[in-house]
Amino acid sequence: GDADAPVVYVIDFDRARLYGGPVPLSRCAADIRRLARSARKLRGGLGAEGWRAMADGYGLGWPLSPEETAALG
């Protein structure tokens, strides 16, 4: 990576809920789809490469299949 590249954190508390344990995968998936809709409204979305990077950064808990992730872009 580029040492001068900006670091970006996305925090969206709209419709947030607290859970006493792990967040259900169905809720995670719904939240990611909602984020995709919001991103498209703002500037046309993240594109397939952006969503792959988001999934990579999210880690093993990413709740969408590769096909669903590609469809977000």
Side-chain angles (χ1 to χ4, degrees), residues 36-47 51 72-73:
R37 285 192 303 274
S38 296
R40 284 192 297 271
K41 287 179 187 177
L42 293 175
R43 59 176 208 118
L46 299 178
W51 284 109
L72 296 174

PDB file of all heavy atoms in Angstrom, residues 36-47 51 72-73:
ATOM      1  N   ALA A  36     -24.671   0.197   0.337  1.00  0.00           N
ATOM      2  CA  ALA A  36     -24.509   0.253  -1.123  1.00  0.00           C
ATOM      3  C   ALA A  36     -25.523   1.206  -1.745  1.00  0.00           C
ATOM      4  O   ALA A  36     -25.180   1.992  -2.639  1.00  0.00           O
ATOM      5  CB  ALA A  36     -24.654  -1.150  -1.719  1.00  0.00           C
ATOM      6  N   ARG A  37     -26.761   1.163  -1.285  1.00  0.00           N
ATOM      7  CA  ARG A  37     -27.780   2.092  -1.809  1.00  0.00           C
ATOM      8  C   ARG A  37     -27.387   3.539  -1.508  1.00  0.00           C
ATOM      9  O   ARG A  37     -27.487   4.411  -2.371  1.00  0.00           O
ATOM     10  CB  ARG A  37     -29.147   1.783  -1.209  1.00  0.00           C
ATOM     11  CG  ARG A  37     -29.810   0.548  -1.776  1.00  0.00           C
ATOM     12  CD  ARG A  37     -31.279   0.434  -1.368  1.00  0.00           C
ATOM     13  NE  ARG A  37     -31.482   0.423   0.064  1.00  0.00           N
ATOM     14  CZ  ARG A  37     -31.441  -0.653   0.851  1.00  0.00           C
ATOM     15  NH1 ARG A  37     -31.179  -1.832   0.324  1.00  0.00           N
ATOM     16  NH2 ARG A  37     -31.664  -0.570   2.142  1.00  0.00           N
ATOM     17  N   SER A  38     -26.920   3.789  -0.301  1.00  0.00           N
ATOM     18  CA  SER A  38     -26.510   5.146   0.077  1.00  0.00           C
ATOM     19  C   SER A  38     -25.324   5.609  -0.761  1.00  0.00           C
ATOM     20  O   SER A  38     -25.288   6.754  -1.206  1.00  0.00           O
ATOM     21  CB  SER A  38     -26.140   5.203   1.565  1.00  0.00           C
ATOM     22  OG  SER A  38     -27.260   4.935   2.362  1.00  0.00           O
ATOM     23  N   ALA A  39     -24.357   4.726  -0.995  1.00  0.00           N
ATOM     24  CA  ALA A  39     -23.184   5.087  -1.797  1.00  0.00           C
ATOM     25  C   ALA A  39     -23.583   5.431  -3.226  1.00  0.00           C
ATOM     26  O   ALA A  39     -23.077   6.394  -3.804  1.00  0.00           O
ATOM     27  CB  ALA A  39     -22.164   3.952  -1.778  1.00  0.00           C
ATOM     28  N   ARG A  40     -24.519   4.666  -3.787  1.00  0.00           N
ATOM     29  CA  ARG A  40     -24.988   4.958  -5.146  1.00  0.00           C
ATOM     30  C   ARG A  40     -25.666   6.316  -5.203  1.00  0.00           C
ATOM     31  O   ARG A  40     -25.506   7.063  -6.172  1.00  0.00           O
ATOM     32  CB  ARG A  40     -25.919   3.856  -5.636  1.00  0.00           C
ATOM     33  CG  ARG A  40     -25.187   2.592  -6.051  1.00  0.00           C
ATOM     34  CD  ARG A  40     -26.096   1.622  -6.812  1.00  0.00           C
ATOM     35  NE  ARG A  40     -27.207   1.143  -6.011  1.00  0.00           N
ATOM     36  CZ  ARG A  40     -27.167   0.063  -5.234  1.00  0.00           C
ATOM     37  NH1 ARG A  40     -26.060  -0.633  -5.126  1.00  0.00           N
ATOM     38  NH2 ARG A  40     -28.225  -0.310  -4.557  1.00  0.00           N
ATOM     39  N   LYS A  41     -26.419   6.664  -4.185  1.00  0.00           N
ATOM     40  CA  LYS A  41     -27.099   7.962  -4.151  1.00  0.00           C
ATOM     41  C   LYS A  41     -26.100   9.110  -4.095  1.00  0.00           C
ATOM     42  O   LYS A  41     -26.327  10.166  -4.672  1.00  0.00           O
ATOM     43  CB  LYS A  41     -28.021   8.056  -2.937  1.00  0.00           C
ATOM     44  CG  LYS A  41     -29.264   7.222  -3.047  1.00  0.00           C
ATOM     45  CD  LYS A  41     -30.086   7.368  -1.779  1.00  0.00           C
ATOM     46  CE  LYS A  41     -31.261   6.439  -1.750  1.00  0.00           C
ATOM     47  NZ  LYS A  41     -31.996   6.538  -0.479  1.00  0.00           N
ATOM     48  N   LEU A  42     -25.000   8.911  -3.383  1.00  0.00           N
ATOM     49  CA  LEU A  42     -24.019   9.979  -3.197  1.00  0.00           C
ATOM     50  C   LEU A  42     -23.134  10.224  -4.408  1.00  0.00           C
ATOM     51  O   LEU A  42     -22.839  11.355  -4.751  1.00  0.00           O
ATOM     52  CB  LEU A  42     -23.139   9.682  -1.976  1.00  0.00           C
ATOM     53  CG  LEU A  42     -23.853   9.728  -0.637  1.00  0.00           C
ATOM     54  CD1 LEU A  42     -22.904   9.295   0.480  1.00  0.00           C
ATOM     55  CD2 LEU A  42     -24.357  11.145  -0.364  1.00  0.00           C
ATOM     56  N   ARG A  43     -22.659   9.162  -5.025  1.00  0.00           N
ATOM     57  CA  ARG A  43     -21.722   9.357  -6.136  1.00  0.00           C
ATOM     58  C   ARG A  43     -21.649   8.190  -7.100  1.00  0.00           C
ATOM     59  O   ARG A  43     -20.627   7.950  -7.710  1.00  0.00           O
ATOM     60  CB  ARG A  43     -20.334   9.703  -5.637  1.00  0.00           C
ATOM     61  CG  ARG A  43     -19.742   8.648  -4.738  1.00  0.00           C
ATOM     62  CD  ARG A  43     -18.308   8.991  -4.331  1.00  0.00           C
ATOM     63  NE  ARG A  43     -17.629   7.739  -4.092  1.00  0.00           N
ATOM     64  CZ  ARG A  43     -16.590   7.321  -4.759  1.00  0.00           C
ATOM     65  NH1 ARG A  43     -16.065   8.039  -5.689  1.00  0.00           N
ATOM     66  NH2 ARG A  43     -16.052   6.168  -4.484  1.00  0.00           N
ATOM     67  N   GLY A  44     -22.672   7.441  -7.184  1.00  0.00           N
ATOM     68  CA  GLY A  44     -22.702   6.370  -8.161  1.00  0.00           C
ATOM     69  C   GLY A  44     -22.177   5.029  -7.695  1.00  0.00           C
ATOM     70  O   GLY A  44     -22.021   4.127  -8.486  1.00  0.00           O
ATOM     71  N   GLY A  45     -21.889   4.863  -6.419  1.00  0.00           N
ATOM     72  CA  GLY A  45     -21.469   3.569  -5.906  1.00  0.00           C
ATOM     73  C   GLY A  45     -19.960   3.428  -5.802  1.00  0.00           C
ATOM     74  O   GLY A  45     -19.200   4.313  -6.150  1.00  0.00           O
ATOM     75  N   LEU A  46     -19.541   2.276  -5.320  1.00  0.00           N
ATOM     76  CA  LEU A  46     -18.117   2.005  -5.109  1.00  0.00           C
ATOM     77  C   LEU A  46     -17.493   1.227  -6.254  1.00  0.00           C
ATOM     78  O   LEU A  46     -16.280   1.163  -6.362  1.00  0.00           O
ATOM     79  CB  LEU A  46     -17.918   1.197  -3.817  1.00  0.00           C
ATOM     80  CG  LEU A  46     -18.376   1.842  -2.520  1.00  0.00           C
ATOM     81  CD1 LEU A  46     -18.160   0.893  -1.354  1.00  0.00           C
ATOM     82  CD2 LEU A  46     -17.652   3.147  -2.285  1.00  0.00           C
ATOM     83  N   GLY A  47     -18.306   0.601  -7.079  1.00  0.00           N
ATOM     84  CA  GLY A  47     -17.784  -0.235  -8.150  1.00  0.00           C
ATOM     85  C   GLY A  47     -17.353  -1.589  -7.613  1.00  0.00           C
ATOM     86  O   GLY A  47     -17.192  -1.786  -6.408  1.00  0.00           O
ATOM     87  N   TRP A  51     -16.019  -2.718  -3.758  1.00  0.00           N
ATOM     88  CA  TRP A  51     -16.723  -3.676  -2.900  1.00  0.00           C
ATOM     89  C   TRP A  51     -15.851  -4.869  -2.561  1.00  0.00           C
ATOM     90  O   TRP A  51     -15.917  -5.407  -1.460  1.00  0.00           O
ATOM     91  CB  TRP A  51     -18.049  -4.108  -3.521  1.00  0.00           C
ATOM     92  CG  TRP A  51     -19.064  -3.032  -3.357  1.00  0.00           C
ATOM     93  CD1 TRP A  51     -19.575  -2.230  -4.327  1.00  0.00           C
ATOM     94  CD2 TRP A  51     -19.644  -2.595  -2.121  1.00  0.00           C
ATOM     95  NE1 TRP A  51     -20.435  -1.321  -3.772  1.00  0.00           N
ATOM     96  CE2 TRP A  51     -20.500  -1.523  -2.420  1.00  0.00           C
ATOM     97  CE3 TRP A  51     -19.525  -2.987  -0.799  1.00  0.00           C
ATOM     98  CZ2 TRP A  51     -21.243  -0.854  -1.451  1.00  0.00           C
ATOM     99  CZ3 TRP A  51     -20.264  -2.328   0.165  1.00  0.00           C
ATOM    100  CH2 TRP A  51     -21.108  -1.274  -0.169  1.00  0.00           C
ATOM    101  N   LEU A  72     -23.387  -5.508  -5.943  1.00  0.00           N
ATOM    102  CA  LEU A  72     -23.499  -4.221  -5.248  1.00  0.00           C
ATOM    103  C   LEU A  72     -22.931  -3.081  -6.073  1.00  0.00           C
ATOM    104  O   LEU A  72     -23.400  -1.952  -5.971  1.00  0.00           O
ATOM    105  CB  LEU A  72     -22.756  -4.270  -3.908  1.00  0.00           C
ATOM    106  CG  LEU A  72     -23.276  -5.231  -2.857  1.00  0.00           C
ATOM    107  CD1 LEU A  72     -22.327  -5.245  -1.674  1.00  0.00           C
ATOM    108  CD2 LEU A  72     -24.673  -4.847  -2.417  1.00  0.00           C
ATOM    109  N   GLY A  73     -21.885  -3.386  -6.862  1.00  0.00           N
ATOM    110  CA  GLY A  73     -21.158  -2.357  -7.599  1.00  0.00           C
ATOM    111  C   GLY A  73     -21.941  -1.699  -8.654  1.00  0.00           C
ATOM    112  O   GLY A  73     -21.789  -0.625  -9.079  1.00  0.00           O
TER     113      GLY A  73
END
